[in-house]
Amino acid sequence: MVGQKVTFSVAAPVFNEIDSIDEFYRRTQRVMQELGESWELIFIDDGSTDGSTEKILQMAQDDPKVVPIIFARNFGHQIAITAGLDYSKGEAVIIMDADLQDPPEVIPDLVARWKEGYEVVFAVRSEREGESWFKKLTAALFYRLIARITDVNIPLDVGDFRLLDRQVVNTLNQMRERHRFPRGMTAWVGFRQIGVPYKRAARYAGETKYPFRKMFKLALDAITGFSYFPLQLATYMGFLSAGISAIAIPVVILLRLTGNEAFFGQATTLIAVLFLGGIQLISLGILGEYLGRLYDEAKSRPLYIVRELKKGRNTPSMDKKND
Ligand code: UDP
Ligand code: MG
C-alpha cells in the first residue's frame, strides 16, 4: 500500500472487542466495496488483552487493506482516534467505533455529503438503542453543558462517528494537545460542516469500555480544553461573597444600634467560615485541574507509544516533530 493513493481511510479504535471485530470487518468491507474506490481499514489496538491484538494482526496478513496500529498499552479512545488520523492516508477519513454502534451502512451517506463539498460530515444520533437511561441522561446533560460553557460550537448529540476531509485531518494532526476532545477540536477548526442523522445501534457484543470514570474524565477534558468558565467561577463567587458582605456590614451595624440580637453567636461565624473555606478549596481544585494539564503539556511526552505497526508503514513525521 506504500505510496499508493487511497481515497478512504476507515479508522476504528479497538479495546477488547474480540467478538465484534470480525462482523465489523465484514460489514465495513461490504459497504466500502460498493463505494468502489480504494480504501484502507485502520485498526488502532488500544492495549487489548482479550486476543483482539492477535486477531487484528492476522487480519492484516490476510488482507493488505487492513492496517494495524498496536499500542504499547491502553491510552484511551481519544488518543487512539488521534493515532488513526496520524497514520491515515485517505483523501477522507472516517472515524467509527469498532463495536458496530456506528453502522458502517451510514458511510455512503457521509461520503455523499463529502462529495458535495463538505469537509466535515458528522453523524448525528437521532436515536440510541440498547443503552442505559443513566448513559443517555449523562450524555444528554454533557452535550448541553459543553454547548453552554464552551466558546466553540460543538453540535449536540454527536459522537466521534464522522468523516473528515484530508485538509481537516492535516490541520487536526498539527494540534498535539494531550487531553483531547476530538469532537471539540473538529468543531474548532471550522471548515464546511454538516450533520447526517443516523440511528445509533446497540453494541454488537461485549460491554461498554466507557465506565463513568472515563466519561467523567472526558467531560473534564472537554470543559478544560475549551473553556475558562471554571476558572472564572472563582472570580464570580468572589464578587458575590464580597457583595454579600458589603450589604451585610451596614445591616448588622444597624441591627446592633437598634438593639436587635440577630446574627450573634458562633454558629453564624462557623457557617460563614465553612462556606468560604469550601469555595476556596473548590477554586483551588479547579486551578489544579488546569495546572495539572499544563504540567502534562510541559512534559511533552509522546501522545501514544506504538508497539507494532504494519510493515512498510512509517511513523508519521508529525510524531517526531511535535510530540
Ligand atoms: N475504546 C478504546 N479505548 C478505550 C475505550 C474504548 O479504543 O479505552 C474503543 C472501543 O473499543 C470502541 C470505541 O472506543 O470501539 C467506543 O467505546 P465504547 O463502545 O466502549 O463506548 P460507548 O459506545 O459505550 O460510549
Ligand atoms: Mg460503543
Side-chain angles (χ1 to χ4, degrees):
M1 297 282 278
V2 188
Q4 214 170 312
K5 230 182 133 243
V6 181
T7 310
F8 298 116
S9 301
V10 177
V14 173
F15 180 47
N16 295 340
E17 303 284 4
I18 184 113
D19 296 322
S20 308
I21 298 181
D22 275 325
E23 181 68 9
F24 175 80
Y25 171 74
R26 241 193 318 276
R27 276 171 61 182
T28 308
Q29 173 164 344
R30 194 177 330 129
V31 171
M32 295 311 287
Q33 258 165 6
E34 259 171 46
L35 282 175
E37 306 209 42
S38 57
W39 64 286
E40 60 178 4
L41 175 55
I42 305 176
F43 279 121
I44 308 98
D45 175 47
D46 190 11
S48 297
T49 50
D50 68 343
S52 301
T53 315
E54 290 69 27
K55 181 155 235 159
I56 292 170
L57 289 172
Q58 184 58 46
M59 276 175 162
Q61 287 206 330
D62 300 342
D63 182 350
K65 283 191 170 60
V66 175
V67 180
I69 302 172
I70 313 294
F71 277 2
R73 65 167 169 84
N74 180 262
F75 280 91
H77 180 209
Q78 321 296 327
I79 298 287
I81 291 177
T82 309
L85 293 181
D86 282 344
Y87 284 91
S88 67
K89 292 196 165 156
E91 285 306 305
V93 183
I94 298 134
I95 303 170
M96 57 196 301
D97 291 354
D99 60 358
L100 288 166
Q101 282 199 282
D102 307 328
E105 290 71 26
V106 180
I107 295 177
D109 298 345
L110 303 181
V111 168
R113 289 304 208 167
W114 175 62
K115 294 212 160 142
E116 283 171 20
Y118 291 98
E119 283 106 352
V120 177
V121 188
F122 47 83
V124 187
R125 302 161 174 173
S126 54
E127 276 177 59
R128 315 174 64 136
E129 254 178 20
E131 286 175 301
S132 67
W133 65 266
F134 180 73
K135 174 115 192 176
K136 286 187 201 169
L137 178 74
T138 45
L141 281 177
F142 168 67
Y143 290 124
R144 274 143 195 90
L145 175 75
I146 298 291
R148 183 117 289 194
I149 69 170
T150 60
D151 37 16
V152 281
N153 222 343
I154 302 170
L156 289 179
D157 302 317
V158 171
D160 288 305
F161 185 19
R162 60 187 60 217
L163 178 149
L164 304 172
D165 183 77
R166 171 55 39 194
Q167 226 183 326
V168 178
V169 174
N170 287 345
T171 314
L172 287 176
N173 286 351
Q174 287 169 9
M175 296 159 65
R176 305 310 288 178
E177 61 220 62
R178 183 153 317 268
H179 298 274
R180 25 185 66 223
F181 183 54
R183 288 163 227 179
M185 291 164 66
T186 33
W188 184 84
V189 297
F191 291 97
R192 275 161 295 179
Q193 312 212 356
I194 193 154
V196 168
Y198 82 110
K199 200 169 136 193
R200 185 154 166 91
R203 240 176 184 281
Y204 180 73
E207 291 197 339
T208 176
K209 310 298 180 309
Y210 257 94
F212 183 71
R213 181 177 50 83
K214 277 193 190 169
M215 289 202 295
F216 190 68
K217 186 182 169 296
L218 180 68
L220 278 185
D221 284 345
I223 294 167
T224 53
F226 289 92
S227 166
Y228 297 132
F229 179 75
L231 286 175
Q232 292 160 339
L233 221 52
T235 320
Y236 300 146
M237 296 303 286
F239 275 116
L240 190 71
S241 48
I244 292 173
S245 64
I247 299 168
I249 291 166
V251 169
V252 171
I253 291 176
L254 262 179
L255 285 176
R256 291 283 184 288
L257 287 178
T258 54
N260 192 309
E261 303 218 335
F263 301 116
F264 266 116
Q266 283 184 6
T268 326
T269 323
L270 199 64
I271 288 169
V273 168
L274 281 179
F275 177 72
L276 270 183
I279 288 180
Q280 282 168 351
L281 284 180
I282 292 171
S283 308
L284 262 182
I286 293 173
L287 261 180
E289 286 292 329
Y290 282 87
L291 192 66
R293 282 168 170 74
L294 202 57
Y295 180 49
D296 279 342
E297 297 294 348
K299 281 189 284 194
S300 71
R301 293 189 182 159
L303 286 184
Y304 52 85
I305 299 160
V306 174
R307 196 187 77 204
E308 212 171 323
L309 203 63
K310 190 184 178 69
K311 285 191 192 67
R313 200 85 173 188
N314 291 325
T315 309
S317 53
M318 211 57 80
D319 260 9
K320 284 174 232 137
K321 244 186 358 230
N322 293 337
D323 264 356

